[in-house]
Amino acid sequence: MNVVRWSLWGVALGLLVVVGVWTLSRLMPMPAAQREALALLRPAAVAPPPGGNAFDGIWLLGFDDVPDAERAAIIAEDVQRLADLPGDAPFTPSATASVAQLRYREVADATLPCRWRQADCLALVRANPAAVEAALVGQRGLLTRINALSGDSHYRSRFVADGRLPIPSFNLLQRSLSAHALAHVQGRSDEALAGICSDVRTAKVLMSHGDGLVPANIGAAMVGGNVRLLASVLAELPVAHPLPATCEGVFVAPAPQALSLCPAMQGEFAMVSGSLEITPVGFGWLALDKQKTEGLLALSMAGACSQRTVDALAADIPVHWSHASSSTWRLECAANAVGCIVAGISGPAYDNYGSSLQDAGARLRLAEALLWLRANPHVDAAAALAQVPARLREGARPLLLGNDGASLQVASYYGKDNGAAFSVPLPGTAVRQ
């Protein structure tokens, strides 16, 4: 009996310790660092720049023949459908698809050679232009809609920011790259250049005037792919060949604040925070404190908005910031184990996104230098580069001539580029007779 009694006392004591630790953990106030991080990620509402919202065109990008007069009503219906879904409704493609899918023809699939992060677009198109032309026959409406996006000023999703936030078909934007290359290969170089410039205008809107990490990084990738194609086209044209008027002011080294990930991260945080609100937890509340999870996530995300990051962008040095600890063996995790795990997993990925935007800025700077070199031709490439304005040529990532003396390059920070230099041909170095 004594053994049983002592065993029961031991179990009771253990339960008391567990309950006591859990209660102490739950009652712990949010650390000041987390409160400060939340303040950075929840700024006062700021009106977007005047002009069109690129979200509207991108959301319906994959549907042909949608009348302009019906676009707003379709998007409003899509937003309402998603808002009416119960919080515990399964996340399925059909649940988040546009009603346009039932009413209009979807853009045909197409196998095209060019990708934003891939080199040799012109060579790939030139290898089989007939096949590329045939693949683009069913893409004319899509290409027209992509071009129209360049007139928009910002990107703001119209859906409520939570875990069910639908992602538009951004990859459709990539199809125009092959179309621009084909136009040049077929002798329509002015059309190609105008299309490239339109796409970069759109890319800069997504990158600097968007509300999430996905559009920001799509914009950065678009910049890289189109700068590379621009350089390839200019290499094959005489340096006296003028650029279309639509290219005016497009290829300009951006101000550091235009490369800030902060606005995108604020949108991302709103989505993550909204996801916690609709998460069905049941008895999971014992292991998930939503407010404290927000604090932990904010600690890993607010570095994008810190003064340290602002200074790093101004100096064009790699941006890194601290994250919430990945260890769950902390008192604050006793009553929030799930939140600690989620914050520990997601945190380290965030600052890599900022590197993508920094690289896009460096590539726009390189493009501006290329245009300066076209306008100021020299026989000797090294002498020409030495005359490029210092604001374009120098810095933490100086512009360098390639070993062949016929290319210009700048270092990359983004992980997906494996640190390889971004290299493009100099203007007029491959003029085709």
Side-chain angles (χ1 to χ4, degrees):
M1 288 295 290
N2 286 336
V3 173
V4 173
R5 184 180 304 158
W6 281 110
S7 297
L8 292 174
W9 273 109
V11 170
L13 182 61
L15 287 173
L16 283 173
V17 170
V18 169
V19 171
V21 170
W22 184 93
T23 302
L24 182 60
S25 175
R26 183 56 62 102
L27 294 177
M28 285 179 64
M30 184 179 291
Q34 294 181 22
R35 294 197 303 272
E36 292 167 2
L38 284 169
L40 288 174
L41 292 169
R42 288 174 170 163
V46 177
N53 185 354
F55 170 82
D56 296 348
I58 294 176
W59 177 246
L60 296 175
L61 201 59
F63 303 99
D64 286 326
D65 306 320
V66 178
D68 290 342
E70 295 184 19
R71 288 180 179 274
I74 291 171
I75 293 170
E77 187 175 347
D78 290 340
V79 170
Q80 190 60 51
R81 283 180 63 247
L82 194 62
D84 290 342
L85 285 177
D88 58 351
F91 184 91
T92 63
S94 60
T96 57
S98 174
V99 295
Q101 194 174 52
L102 305 174
R103 304 172 190 173
Y104 299 99
R105 180 170 52 89
E106 292 189 57
V107 172
D109 290 336
T111 301
L112 296 167
C114 298
R115 298 290 182 270
W116 292 320
R117 294 193 179 278
Q118 178 182 16
D120 302 324
C121 177
L122 278 186
L124 292 168
V125 170
R126 192 168 274 127
N128 195 347
V132 178
E133 184 175 25
L136 288 170
V137 168
Q139 310 296 307
R140 298 304 175 194
L142 171 65
L143 296 174
T144 298
R145 293 192 294 277
I146 291 175
N147 187 68
L149 293 171
S150 64
D152 292 323
S153 68
H154 61 280
Y155 177 97
R156 296 288 187 278
S157 175
R158 297 192 184 276
F159 292 96
V160 174
D162 61 32
R164 298 168 301 176
L165 184 69
I167 304 298
S169 299
F170 285 109
N171 276 339
L172 290 174
L173 295 169
Q174 199 158 219
R175 296 187 185 181
S176 63
L177 199 64
S178 295
H180 304 331
L182 180 66
H184 172 68
V185 167
Q186 293 181 335
R188 295 175 284 118
S189 299
D190 287 341
E191 179 184 329
L193 290 169
I196 292 168
C197 293
S198 291
D199 278 4
V200 173
R201 285 189 187 276
T202 300
K204 290 164 74 174
V205 165
L206 294 176
M207 191 173 74
S208 301
H209 300 288
D211 64 350
L213 294 180
V214 173
N217 281 274
I218 290 293
M222 284 181 73
V223 165
N226 280 281
V227 166
R228 184 181 279 117
L229 182 57
L230 171 80
S232 297
V233 171
L234 295 182
E236 296 185 353
L237 293 175
V239 293
H241 188 106
L243 265 65
T246 53
C247 294
E248 182 68 29
V250 173
F251 296 101
V252 176
Q257 59 266 31
L259 306 177
S260 173
L261 194 64
C262 184
M265 194 68 83
Q266 288 166 342
E268 188 75 9
F269 181 76
M271 186 272 289
V272 172
S273 180
S275 301
L276 293 173
E277 290 301 318
I278 66 168
T279 301
V281 294
F283 286 106
W285 63 271
L286 292 169
L288 177 63
D289 184 315
K290 294 179 180 179
Q291 288 186 331
K292 290 183 177 177
T293 299
E294 286 181 341
L296 288 169
L297 288 166
L299 202 61
S300 293
M301 301 170 79
C305 304
S306 69
Q307 185 59 47
R308 179 181 177 184
T309 294
V310 171
D311 295 341
L313 290 175
D316 192 28
I317 60 177
V319 172
H320 299 291
W321 60 80
S322 59
H323 308 288
S325 172
S326 59
S327 172
T328 57
W329 294 100
R330 312 190 314 268
L331 181 58
E332 65 179 319
C333 295
N336 190 30
V338 172
C340 287
I341 291 171
V342 170
I345 292 173
S346 61
Y350 286 125
D351 52 4
N352 196 35
Y353 290 112
S355 299
S356 176
L357 271 63
Q358 285 183 281
D359 282 355
R363 291 162 190 183
L364 286 169
R365 174 166 60 90
L366 180 147
E368 186 178 356
L370 285 178
L371 298 184
W372 188 95
L373 289 169
R374 286 188 91 232
N376 300 272
H378 289 64
V379 174
D380 181 76
L385 181 58
Q387 296 301 312
V388 170
R391 67 178 181 84
L392 300 176
R393 174 172 40 88
E394 299 176 353
R397 287 191 280 182
L399 300 184
L400 303 172
L401 283 178
N403 292 332
D404 57 3
S407 59
L408 193 63
Q409 62 187 38
V410 67
S412 300
Y413 290 156
Y414 187 46
K416 284 190 177 180
D417 294 322
N418 298 315
F422 182 84
S423 181
V424 297
L426 288 170
T429 53
V431 176
R432 301 178 70 86
Q433 302 300 323

